[in-house]
Amino acid sequence: MSRLPVGTFTSPTTPGTAARNVALNICKLDLFCLRPPQPEARVLSVPSAPQLLADPSEQAPLHMTPQGIAIREINSGRLVTLTREDNALRVNFAENKAPVDIVYRQVVWASCNTDNGVLEVAYLRRKKKVGALALARLEGKPEGLENTIVSQWAENLMTSVYEDSGVQRRRRLKVLVNPYGGVKKAVAVFVKTVEPILRAAQCSLDVTHTTHNGHAYDIAKDLPLDFDVVVTVSGDGVVHEVMNGFAHHADPRKAFSVPIAPIPTGSGNALFLNLLGHKHGFDAAEAALNVIKGKPMKVDVFSLTQDGKRTISFMSQALGLMADLDIGTENLRWMGDTRFMVGLLRGVIQFKSCPIQLSYKLAESDKVKMANDLRARRSGKADAPPASTGESGPLPPLVNLPDDTDGWTTYDKPILYVYAGKGPFVARDYMAFPVSLPDDGLIDVMAQPASSRKEILSAVGGAAKGEGYWQPGLHYVKAHAYRVKPLAPKGHLAVDGEIFPFQEYQVEVHQKLATVLSPYGYYAADFAARTPTAPPRDKMRKGNEH
């Protein structure tokens, strides 16, 4: 039996006679050209991959076999084999018995330097099962292979990890770093963790460090629209600025088609939590990987009109206790998003009612149905709304006039707080809108009656899992639009975590106007929907109430 030179191997998936019926066409297929048998060459041994036989009658079909390459690492001198599997790159170090599989999503680059023949592969992996991702590089020289063959192997790997997954290579990024947000670690996180990963993926970076409030707004307002992604290294505040900058762009709709990808370094990182989930919601390397490999996902945003001014809101509007826990904890930003839970507990102790009148244009109020609709969408049993058409043009017009009362419902109980928004998580410890969908054209609105401290505190324990949704006393609806009229001169209103005047306002939804990057195509929130006890029906007035 002739042996192969170190540097190439292919392994049959079916042993025995099934592997004896295929001609040797390897040089014409995929990425390997095997050299003629050489008596002195060493056999490349790979676990679970039988050596390739020189007799053409004993070869398995190439398209049915994993294909690999062996390199001698430059720094360590150890032999490493890299095998392209169906969905992963298998890395096998000579001294290890068990190979390591790197899913293609975590492989960010592969190339061969045609001058010196060095193969470089960059990927992300976890050093621990529950640890954060970290960038890893392999650089080595294949033995016994021409550079053109190694280059073709690297190119085929790149095709598997990018084009075959529907992802563009070498994304052009506009990066906004907020040095002053949250716990003021944005610059360090970007330089030490995020930037090396983005550059390993050969992304093009245009980086700006924001210097003042409104800086991100100004940049987004005049942003050239040839960038593939806007990356925000901050909290939700910079995302709010970017979206409002897009709203005032010369071509708002086209600006909103540029995806936004957040890197979580602020005190509030709700958007990233909703995109990556609670498990990875504060992993900067996961965020960087989402910038490289995430796919565009259309999301609804809101127009908030107040005193003749129109503002884009992407996350939430809060009044009463929920606004107090945000605005009232500005001095606790050093705590990160834990400050919101501290504010909630403080607000429950004070237990002040919210002097407002709440009205909305109802779409759905059945909690069980809303939870079932969520499950149907996640399981693929319900179709997503059709994609928006047309990428250029002005903002969508407002369709709900302030004096319109037809079809509106007024909630008439004393209220502790009103919270409305899009996206399940508003903080790491609080899944406020567990049945929220990214593109249903609706806003989730909750109103908590001023009942008792015990009832409010009973929901705190399960707040991170959205269990408060099932509280019988919590009034939770999906609406096309809603409006609030203050009944007292003093109070707090927070929009996407920013302080707004405590004045009358109205909110309506713009379906699929904005774009974010997502690894899943849906909100990554695990809401353990269950059948609740039958809640009491709320007393409401319908019709012309204003």
Side-chain angles (χ1 to χ4, degrees):
M1 181 188 301
S2 298
R3 296 183 175 183
L4 294 176
V6 172
T8 63
F9 69 86
T10 179
S11 59
T13 57
T14 55
T17 57
R20 299 175 179 271
N21 300 319
V22 180
L24 184 61
N25 289 321
I26 292 179
C27 288
K28 299 178 182 179
L29 294 174
D30 206 48
L31 55 112
F32 286 118
C33 290
L34 300 182
R35 304 175 96 190
Q38 299 179 17
E40 298 302 320
R42 295 183 291 120
V43 175
L44 178 61
S45 177
V46 180
S48 73
Q51 65 188 34
L52 178 67
L53 302 177
D55 184 351
S57 66
E58 298 188 56
Q59 307 306 318
L62 188 64
H63 68 275
M64 295 176 59
T65 63
Q67 300 180 33
I69 195 166
I71 62 173
R72 184 73 64 181
E73 268 198 299
I74 292 177
N75 293 332
S76 67
R78 61 183 175 176
L79 185 67
V80 182
T81 61
L82 304 172
T83 313
R84 285 176 52 219
E85 303 286 349
D86 290 339
N87 301 303
L89 174 67
R90 176 162 291 184
V91 182
N92 194 347
F93 298 97
E95 69 272 18
N96 291 344
K97 294 183 179 180
V100 177
D101 286 342
I102 309 298
V103 294
Y104 281 154
R105 180 176 177 270
Q106 293 173 201
V107 178
V108 298
W109 198 256
S111 63
C112 175
N113 187 321
T114 54
D115 293 331
N116 57 23
V118 173
L119 174 69
E120 177 185 353
V121 179
Y123 58 90
L124 277 69
R125 64 168 298 193
R126 301 184 196 282
K127 296 180 180 179
K128 300 179 181 179
K129 288 185 178 181
V130 295
L133 286 176
L135 178 64
R137 296 176 186 267
L138 285 173
E139 292 182 331
K141 209 165 183 180
E143 300 179 5
L145 284 177
E146 296 179 1
N147 292 352
T148 54
I149 297 174
V150 181
S151 294
Q152 187 60 53
W153 185 90
E155 176 59 26
N156 285 356
L157 176 59
M158 287 289 287
T159 299
S160 295
V161 303
Y162 281 99
E163 284 80 7
D164 289 353
S165 300
V167 177
Q168 174 188 347
R169 307 183 196 184
R170 298 177 181 266
R171 284 175 167 167
R172 296 160 296 179
L173 311 176
K174 178 61 187 178
V175 183
L176 303 176
V177 182
N178 178 13
Y180 309 105
V183 292
K184 297 183 171 69
K185 292 184 178 180
V187 174
V189 170
F190 178 70
V191 171
K192 294 180 181 179
T193 302
V194 176
E195 186 176 15
I197 295 172
L198 300 180
R199 295 201 181 278
Q202 303 295 310
C203 292
S204 172
L205 277 65
D206 183 337
V207 182
T208 300
H209 290 223
T210 59
T211 59
H212 56 274
N213 288 336
H215 193 181
Y217 165 87
D218 293 335
I219 292 171
K221 178 175 174 289
D222 299 317
L223 185 75
L225 300 182
D226 55 354
F227 289 103
D228 298 311
V229 185
V230 173
V231 182
T232 60
V233 188
S234 182
D236 296 315
V238 169
V239 177
H240 176 85
E241 286 193 25
V242 169
M243 288 204 179
N244 279 279
F246 283 170
H248 291 86
H249 196 277
D251 191 342
R253 282 187 180 270
K254 190 172 182 180
F256 272 113
S257 70
V258 179
I260 297 173
I263 307 290
T265 60
S267 59
N269 303 285
L271 179 58
F272 187 72
L273 278 165
N274 289 323
L275 296 176
L276 272 291
H278 196 276
K279 183 178 180 181
H280 304 306
F282 288 84
D283 186 340
E286 281 276 6
L289 184 60
N290 186 49
V291 172
I292 298 165
K293 295 292 189 75
K295 296 181 181 180
M297 181 176 81
K298 286 292 186 180
V299 293
D300 305 338
V301 294
F302 318 117
S303 272
L304 182 146
T305 52
Q306 185 181 59
D307 198 21
K309 182 181 178 181
R310 182 178 183 181
T311 301
I312 296 296
S313 170
F314 75 96
M315 182 178 67
S316 65
Q317 307 90 45
L319 299 112
L321 184 149
M322 288 302 169
D324 295 343
L325 69 86
D326 194 344
I327 297 171
T329 58
E330 284 289 317
N331 62 321
L332 301 177
R333 281 186 174 271
W334 57 270
M335 298 178 66
D337 68 346
T338 303
R339 71 184 177 98
F340 299 119
M341 188 55 63
V342 173
L344 175 61
L345 295 174
R346 186 168 65 188
V348 170
I349 293 173
Q350 295 174 345
F351 212 68
K352 297 185 299 183
S353 63
C354 182
I356 63 168
Q357 182 185 74
L358 169 67
S359 302
Y360 49 80
K361 209 164 188 178
L362 181 65
E364 184 57 67
S365 60
D366 186 328
K367 289 185 180 181
V368 175
K369 185 179 185 304
M370 288 186 281
N372 289 340
D373 289 346
L374 173 70
R375 285 197 296 267
R377 277 290 300 275
R378 288 286 292 270
S379 65
K381 294 179 180 179
D383 295 331
S388 55
T389 58
E391 291 191 349
S392 292
L395 284 177
L398 298 174
V399 297
N400 293 282
L401 300 177
D403 56 354
D404 178 24
T405 58
D406 187 26
W408 287 74
T409 298
T410 297
Y411 185 76
D412 63 357
K413 288 186 176 182
I415 296 174
L416 185 63
Y417 65 79
V418 169
Y419 213 0
K422 177 70 65 172
F425 286 104
V426 295
R428 175 166 41 186
D429 299 323
Y430 188 23
M431 188 191 295
F433 310 111
V435 296
S436 176
L437 293 168
D439 56 3
D440 60 359
L442 304 172
I443 183 169
D444 290 34
V445 182
M446 70 166 79
Q448 176 61 57
S451 51
S452 67
R453 291 182 177 88
K454 180 179 179 181
E455 182 178 338
I456 306 303
L457 290 173
S458 67
V460 171
K465 298 179 180 179
E467 293 178 4
Y469 173 81
W470 295 117
Q471 288 289 321
L474 180 67
H475 185 69
Y476 192 114
V477 302
K478 285 182 177 287
H480 300 283
Y482 82 96
R483 61 174 65 117
V484 165
K485 180 179 180 180
L487 302 177
K490 292 184 179 180
H492 286 150
L493 168 62
V495 178
D496 296 346
E498 305 297 317
I499 301 173
F500 271 58
F502 188 65
Q503 299 174 0
E504 185 172 356
Y505 71 89
Q506 179 171 296
V507 172
E508 66 179 67
V509 187
H510 303 305
Q511 190 171 28
K512 291 190 173 185
L513 178 61
T515 314
V516 295
L517 288 183
S518 165
Y520 309 115
Y522 53 82
Y523 288 140
D526 295 323
F527 176 49
R530 59 182 176 82
T531 302
T533 57
R537 295 187 63 84
D538 293 312
K539 296 179 181 179
M540 292 172 280
R541 302 194 310 271
K542 293 186 178 181
N544 298 328
E545 297 295 332
H546 291 66

